[in-house]
Amino acid sequence: AASRLRLSGLCFLLQILNILLFAVFVRYSPESSPGQCPPQLNCSRRNQDSGFQEPRFQDVHIQVLLSFGLLVAFLSRYGPGKAAISILIIAFAIQWAVLIQGFFYFFLNGKIYVGAQSMVSADFCTAAVLISIGAVLGRANPVQMLLLALLEVTLCTLNEYILLSLMGVSDSGRSLTVHTFGAYFGLMVSRVLYQPHKDRRKREERQDTGYQTDVFAVVGTIYLWIFWPSFTSTSTVHDNTKNWAVLNTYFSLVASTVATLILSPVLYEESTPRMVQIQDATLAGMAVMGMAGEMLVTPFGALIAGFLVGLISPLGFRFFTPVLYSRLKIQDTCGVHNVHGLPGILGALLGTLLTLMATADTYGDRLELVFPLVAQGSRTVTDQALIQLGALPLTLLLAMLGGHITGAILKTKVLRCSPDEQYMENTVFWEVKLGNC
């Protein structure tokens, strides 16, 4: 009863807080053309509501709700309950992200003006939160997850503002601000929450099988294949660069899937491919195209990048994940380091390399869309590449520092449970058949 009331009370307080802040600050954005956008607003981040934006918002929202919500629910022990908690986290994080990002990007004359673009930005930030929760699944109770979302949305927005607005980094598909930040933020929280006497669950839970878990993996992976190219290309400014992002993402996706199925039978001695392996390959192939998607990767370049990351992901699960647990005491429940963290870093390095090759001859009119400061002559290609590269350690620093602080807060006595209480609290969110007990 105490656990249920604690969650209920926190949900009540957070929702009342959101309602009050929305009442004071949030208004609908005026319907005007980008050319009439007030100079006080960051119009490069605030495309007006139009038929161009609304389908993209729908694609991103479906991607966050269904794909991410289902993909972190494939463990048989946590499946149905985790899907419910994911929806709760999404419902809160979107509201909070609209507010926090509004103060950075959509604030004018004391008001936050919301529209399709602000909702897309909120969904991006929510995706980072869901990635982080995948790293602490089974080790954090719902109250801790809500507080994690509260803190991470704030820090994720700060990181995004520094990179995209202040530094002028090109990261339309969010290799850094979503995949890398979310993965390493969650891994650091997992490290801080480590308690030897509570970590007796078998780490092989990730390999749990069953009809129900297969359904989660199948449905989530199908939605990834359908909607992730739109997710990667949503932040592009014009349709010209959107086409590159969509095509590059698809090429990376198919190559990553094939590469994973090359290694998995060798590493795990399984003759039949598992849907979870295809799911991981899909995530990795998309994450690597986050920064480079709208750049001139070329079709064969996207295939090479997808193929490499498709090999890295299963190798990470086989060899690096045990090291994370044994040496660093990081229990990465859903393997976010291998499907988001490492591919995000590889995507940032690929984007840096492609930036060095960006010239007016190769990009044509698209140079101004992808690298506006380079096209205007404010920066050289080398300067832009160094900034793209420098964004990687900065993101890692902010993610790990923020994760450490968040983990320390979540580990306070008032929020954590004893081993028995932790078990009883989590069983409220499990649905287990009697015959399987």
Side-chain angles (χ1 to χ4, degrees), residues 94-404:
I94 286 178
Q95 298 177 70
W96 189 243
V98 167
L99 288 167
I100 300 300
Q101 294 193 335
F103 287 114
F104 282 95
Y105 299 117
F106 311 104
F107 194 71
L108 176 63
N109 297 329
K111 303 297 179 183
I112 297 172
Y113 292 95
V114 300
Q117 180 61 27
S118 57
M119 293 302 297
V120 167
S121 299
D123 276 329
F124 274 130
C125 199
T126 302
V129 174
L130 291 175
I131 291 170
S132 298
I133 287 177
V136 299
L137 178 60
R139 309 184 54 170
N141 57 54
V143 171
Q144 290 174 314
M145 290 183 185
L146 272 176
L147 292 177
L148 182 149
L150 176 74
L151 296 171
E152 183 173 1
V153 164
T154 306
L155 295 171
C156 179
T157 302
L158 175 62
N159 178 66
E160 182 179 306
Y161 180 75
I162 293 174
L163 265 59
L164 304 185
S165 295
L166 299 184
M167 297 175 61
V169 174
S170 176
D171 187 25
S172 65
R174 304 301 195 266
S175 280
L176 286 176
T177 57
V178 170
H179 296 285
T180 303
F181 186 91
Y184 288 97
F185 186 97
L187 291 172
M188 184 54 68
V189 173
S190 178
R191 173 63 184 89
V192 176
L193 291 181
Y194 173 77
Q195 291 177 301
H197 62 283
K198 293 184 183 180
D199 288 327
R200 296 174 182 174
R201 296 188 192 92
K202 58 180 180 179
R203 288 183 291 119
E204 291 79 9
E205 280 179 330
R206 176 177 170 78
Q207 304 301 327
D208 286 354
T209 60
Y211 173 77
Q212 188 180 61
T213 58
D214 287 342
V215 170
F216 278 125
V218 169
V219 176
T221 304
I222 289 174
Y223 274 103
L224 282 176
W225 276 74
I226 296 173
F227 291 107
W228 198 297
S230 296
F231 184 92
T232 307
S233 63
T234 297
S235 294
T236 56
V237 181
H238 295 287
D239 283 334
N240 288 338
T241 52
K242 175 187 175 183
N243 294 336
W244 280 3
V246 169
L247 293 174
N248 288 332
T249 302
Y250 269 120
F251 289 134
S252 176
L253 163 62
V254 296
S256 176
T257 301
V258 173
T260 294
L261 295 183
I262 292 173
L263 271 185
S264 294
V266 176
L267 295 175
Y268 298 103
E269 298 181 356
E270 295 179 353
S271 58
T272 303
R274 296 180 56 211
M275 197 64 197
V276 171
Q277 297 166 350
I278 299 178
Q279 166 190 303
D280 294 336
T282 304
L283 287 166
M286 302 302 185
V288 76
M289 280 293 114
M291 179 182 289
E294 66 175 355
M295 300 179 187
L296 188 58
V297 183
T298 70
F300 78 89
L303 289 174
I304 293 174
F307 184 79
L308 291 177
V309 80
L311 297 176
I312 290 174
S313 180
L315 288 172
F317 279 116
R318 181 65 177 85
F319 299 108
F320 201 73
T321 297
V323 175
L324 282 179
Y325 183 79
S326 62
R327 299 292 179 86
L328 301 179
K329 308 304 179 185
I330 297 175
Q331 183 176 340
D332 184 6
T333 310
C334 291
V336 299
H337 182 256
N338 304 305
V339 298
H340 294 285
L342 289 177
I345 292 176
L346 184 60
L349 297 176
L350 176 61
T352 300
L353 176 62
L354 292 172
T355 302
L356 288 171
M357 303 167 61
T359 63
D361 293 335
T362 56
Y363 277 67
D365 295 338
R366 300 188 187 194
L367 182 64
E368 187 174 357
L369 305 178
V370 181
F371 301 110
L373 295 178
V374 175
Q376 296 167 10
S378 303
R379 286 180 183 169
T380 65
V381 172
T382 303
D383 291 338
Q384 182 68 40
L386 290 175
I387 290 174
Q388 298 282 134
L389 182 61
L392 175 58
L394 178 60
T395 297
L396 292 174
L397 176 62
L398 289 175
M400 290 189 287
L401 180 61
H404 188 277

Side-chain angles (χ1 to χ4, degrees), residues 14 20 268 305 416 434:
L14 291 178
L20 293 175
Y268 298 103
R416 68 188 184 197
L434 183 61

